[in-house]
Amino acid sequence: MGKYVLSIDCGTQSLRGIIFDKHGNLLVKVKKEFTPYYSVEPGWAEQDPDIYWQRLCETTQAIKEQEPDIFGAIDSIVVTTQRDSCVLLDKQGQVVRPAILWMDQRKIKKPREMNLYHKLTIAAVGMLPTANKFSMNCNAHWIQEYEPENWKKTYKYLQISGYLNYKLTGEFKDSIASQIGHIPFNYKKFRWDHKNGQKSQLFHIEKEKLCDLVAPGKLIGTITEGTAKETGLRAGIKVIAGGSDKGCETLGVGCFNNHTASISLGSNASIQTTTKKYYEALRFICPFPAVIMGAYNPEIQIYRGYWMISWFKKEFAQKEVRQAKELNISPEELLNKRLNDVSPGCDGLVFQPFWGPGAKRPEGKGAIIGFDDYHTRIHIYRAIIEGIGFGLFEGLGYIEKKSGKTIDRIMISGGGSQSDAICQITADLFNRPVYRVQTYETSGLGAAIIGYVAQGEYKSYKDAVKNMVRIKDAFQPDEKNVAIYKNIYEDIYRKIYKKLKPLYKAMHG
């Protein structure tokens, strides 16, 4: 038996412990769910960080019980988590307050001041409103303003990945590839920004409150004796710097260059690619650090993307929820079987998926137009799927324009990718072949790839991907459906936001 990598994948709704072998075969998977967040005020989204740690311990103990031989051969651990969610710890490593998550909508009343140079240069390119929005949405700024006593207690301001790495090793360290959020991180140079840098001027967080950064694939620390007792893991196991969930997904589907795009159909839907060249797909929106050191992941995201499916289930699909429980399958599986009952274009129903203020469209709202008396709830369901697809397709255009490269194939992952119907809709809408690899747990697979390269099992990520990632399914565009989607996108979808923007602004007051 070889040496294994344990991937810890902490998402919005569950934590998974996954072990792949060096050939990319999934050997063990344990999933522990939790309530995504709670709200003590409208628009807030918080969680007790200890929930993540408790689920991690439950996961490792379950793996130990189910597969003791494989568990005993774990050589290293790689953590990948949801992004832009902050955890505050005091000097003793105790949680100061609940974590504020990526979907939280609280903000301060006015942006923080920045020096005149950056204010003028940002204003000169028309991006001052966007910069002000970033500043107002910074969780650290809200805590500083409304909970100054908690900010004073804060010794380290961490991402969820940094928190879990600390709990495992006792080290206040995190991967460079996990630093995605409203933080003073210099995305171009892969380090914390200097005091007078643009990001430090946008996000006022003292440098001493930030963790030490480690390059992905390098050692963060080892499992402590105390952690060993809680998790069942062997003391001394190496904890290797990983990356964000989206970054690991992109590696896990083998997306290495500007000719391939990685679509993630998760709670936050996104399309990104990998490049050695720094470019902003949308002006002022930095490409994120890739898990391949020195590379970037330019990304366009649909805020709360497939979370909208959770909303739909709750509000419209209780029948499927009950049936699924009886059949011991997911409600999505039942709903997805009915997608093909509705023709492409949903008989005139079009959905705009702006369910949260985006960086470039701060006043944006969700919209669905074209209702008639023959539309059903399944029409609405398919319209949501197609609307997210249109939003991602728009993002592909931005990426191609800025990179100067044509994307000729799509790799797809995330919960939505389990559906053949959704994969086919994506192929038709993008007019490109869509490929699905051997597992939809691509974030965990990407983390495992990092671990096996760090072990020296493979000399490079390219070599590891060649041996660990396999295309399982291919979906080719249907010419008839391609034409339908092209007409809807050009004639309707692209025009919705411009037409509704004045109404959105009026709604914001």
Side-chain angles (χ1 to χ4, degrees):
M1 184 177 291
K3 296 178 179 179
Y4 294 124
V5 175
L6 170 62
S7 299
I8 298 295
D9 183 1
C10 183
T12 305
Q13 304 179 66
S14 67
L15 185 141
R16 295 174 295 284
I18 308 173
I19 298 176
F20 291 92
D21 67 17
K22 65 181 182 179
H23 303 296
N25 299 309
L26 197 156
L27 302 179
V28 185
K29 172 185 169 182
V30 172
K31 177 181 178 180
K32 298 291 182 179
E33 295 184 341
F34 45 79
T35 302
Y37 63 89
Y38 61 86
S39 300
V40 295
E41 296 286 346
W44 289 20
E46 298 185 338
Q47 183 59 274
D48 180 359
D50 284 338
I51 291 295
Y52 304 129
W53 178 243
Q54 290 169 16
R55 295 296 182 271
L56 188 155
C57 295
E58 292 168 9
T59 296
T60 53
Q61 293 286 4
I63 296 173
K64 183 178 182 179
E65 182 178 345
Q66 294 173 22
E67 298 287 350
D69 290 341
I70 293 175
F71 188 82
I74 293 172
D75 173 76
S76 53
I77 299 170
V78 180
V79 172
T80 179
T81 71
Q82 57 182 292
R83 312 176 302 185
D84 196 15
S85 301
C86 67
V87 179
L88 282 63
L89 299 183
D90 64 18
K91 265 194 173 183
Q92 287 70 47
Q94 299 300 306
V95 172
V96 172
R97 69 170 322 282
I100 303 179
L101 307 185
W102 61 268
M103 70 283 282
D104 191 282
Q105 298 180 46
R106 76 188 75 188
K107 58 185 178 181
I108 59 176
K109 293 179 180 178
K110 62 179 183 178
R112 292 295 179 86
E113 286 296 324
M114 65 180 79
N115 65 38
L116 184 60
Y117 170 77
H118 287 301
K119 193 169 186 177
L120 290 175
T121 54
I122 292 171
V125 294
M127 296 306 295
L128 190 58
T130 299
N132 287 339
K133 175 182 175 296
F134 284 153
S135 177
M136 292 167 67
N137 289 346
C138 176
N139 293 329
H141 293 171
W142 188 92
I143 297 167
Q144 291 164 7
E145 189 161 326
Y146 293 101
E147 297 179 355
E149 69 286 354
N150 282 335
W151 189 252
K152 188 176 180 180
K153 294 177 189 174
T154 299
Y155 178 66
K156 292 298 175 183
Y157 184 88
L158 305 170
Q159 303 289 306
I160 292 173
S161 52
Y163 169 70
L164 292 180
N165 283 326
Y166 167 73
K167 294 290 286 185
L168 290 167
T169 68
E171 302 280 352
F172 289 113
K173 297 179 181 180
D174 199 12
S175 174
I176 287 171
S178 295
Q179 304 314 306
I180 298 170
H182 294 69
I183 49 178
F185 183 77
N186 187 317
Y187 291 93
K188 194 169 187 177
K189 297 183 178 180
F190 306 112
R191 58 168 173 76
W192 295 122
D193 208 6
H194 61 79
K195 184 178 180 180
N196 293 315
Q198 187 183 86
K199 292 299 184 291
S200 289
Q201 289 293 305
L202 274 180
F203 307 119
H204 294 202
I205 302 173
E206 301 95 309
K207 192 170 184 179
E208 60 268 21
K209 292 186 186 293
L210 301 169
C211 65
D212 293 336
L213 296 179
V214 178
K218 300 301 183 182
L219 183 68
I220 283 180
T222 58
I223 297 296
T224 66
E225 293 288 349
T227 297
K229 292 178 183 178
E230 290 189 78
T231 62
L233 292 162
R234 187 179 71 258
I237 290 176
K238 298 185 292 292
V239 177
I240 305 298
S244 71
D245 52 2
K246 302 293 188 187
C248 284
E249 279 181 331
T250 295
L251 178 63
V253 297
C255 177
F256 277 111
N257 55 53
N258 279 303
H259 296 291
T260 302
S262 169
I263 286 182
S264 172
L265 300 181
S267 297
N268 207 17
S270 65
I271 181 168
Q272 65 175 220
T273 189
T274 303
T275 174
K276 290 285 187 178
K277 179 183 177 183
Y278 179 96
Y279 65 84
E280 298 172 357
L282 291 174
R283 180 184 285 182
F284 205 66
I285 309 301
C286 300
F288 299 136
V291 295
I292 301 172
M293 191 60 201
Y296 304 91
N297 290 145
E299 177 186 283
I300 303 295
Q301 59 180 293
I302 305 298
Y303 184 75
R304 291 201 174 192
Y306 268 62
W307 180 90
M308 298 176 198
I309 304 304
S310 298
W311 168 84
F312 179 86
K313 285 190 303 180
K314 179 183 175 184
E315 302 298 336
F316 294 99
Q318 287 305 304
K319 178 182 176 182
E320 282 79 9
V321 170
R322 288 193 297 271
Q323 289 178 342
K325 191 173 182 180
E326 293 170 3
L327 296 170
N328 197 30
I329 60 175
S330 70
E332 288 87 349
E333 190 172 338
L334 287 178
L335 288 166
N336 291 337
K337 286 179 179 178
R338 298 199 60 191
L339 280 172
N340 291 328
D341 293 344
V342 176
S343 58
C346 301
D347 298 314
L349 206 60
V350 181
F351 178 77
Q352 181 183 262
F354 299 155
W355 276 37
K360 302 291 286 186
R361 294 167 173 146
E363 66 289 302
K365 294 284 187 181
I368 188 165
I369 65 171
F371 274 113
D372 214 320
D373 59 2
Y374 48 76
H375 286 124
T376 67
R377 60 200 178 92
I378 303 303
H379 281 86
I380 298 174
Y381 182 67
R382 179 162 179 141
I384 292 172
I385 302 296
E386 291 181 348
I388 295 170
F390 284 129
L392 294 173
F393 180 71
E394 182 181 42
L396 177 139
Y398 293 134
I399 291 172
E400 287 187 328
K401 182 178 179 181
K402 286 300 179 75
S403 69
K405 306 290 184 181
T406 299
I407 291 172
D408 51 31
R409 70 174 192 163
I410 305 292
M411 307 301 297
I412 195 166
S413 61
S417 72
Q418 297 177 67
S419 163
D420 287 0
I422 291 176
C423 290
Q424 188 60 54
I425 289 170
T426 306
D428 294 342
L429 200 152
F430 279 74
N431 192 21
R432 289 164 174 81
V434 168
Y435 300 99
R436 193 167 56 189
V437 300
Q438 77 268 23
T439 177
Y440 69 86
E441 295 288 2
T442 50
S443 185
L445 179 57
I449 290 170
I450 294 170
Y452 282 114
V453 172
Q455 279 185 8
E457 189 67 50
Y458 297 107
K459 294 180 180 178
S460 68
Y461 287 115
K462 189 173 183 179
D463 188 28
V465 166
K466 182 179 179 181
N467 286 276
M468 295 183 67
V469 180
R470 298 180 294 280
I471 291 176
K472 178 174 173 285
D473 304 294
F475 301 84
Q476 299 298 329
D478 180 291
E479 290 184 11
K480 181 181 177 182
N481 295 341
V482 167
I484 292 171
Y485 285 129
K486 181 179 179 182
N487 289 335
I488 294 172
Y489 180 75
E490 294 291 342
D491 297 340
I492 301 171
Y493 181 86
R494 289 183 64 186
K495 299 176 182 179
I496 294 175
Y497 177 74
K498 186 176 181 180
K499 296 288 186 182
L500 294 182
K501 185 176 179 179
L503 300 181
Y504 294 152
K505 285 189 173 182
M507 289 176 181
H508 277 285

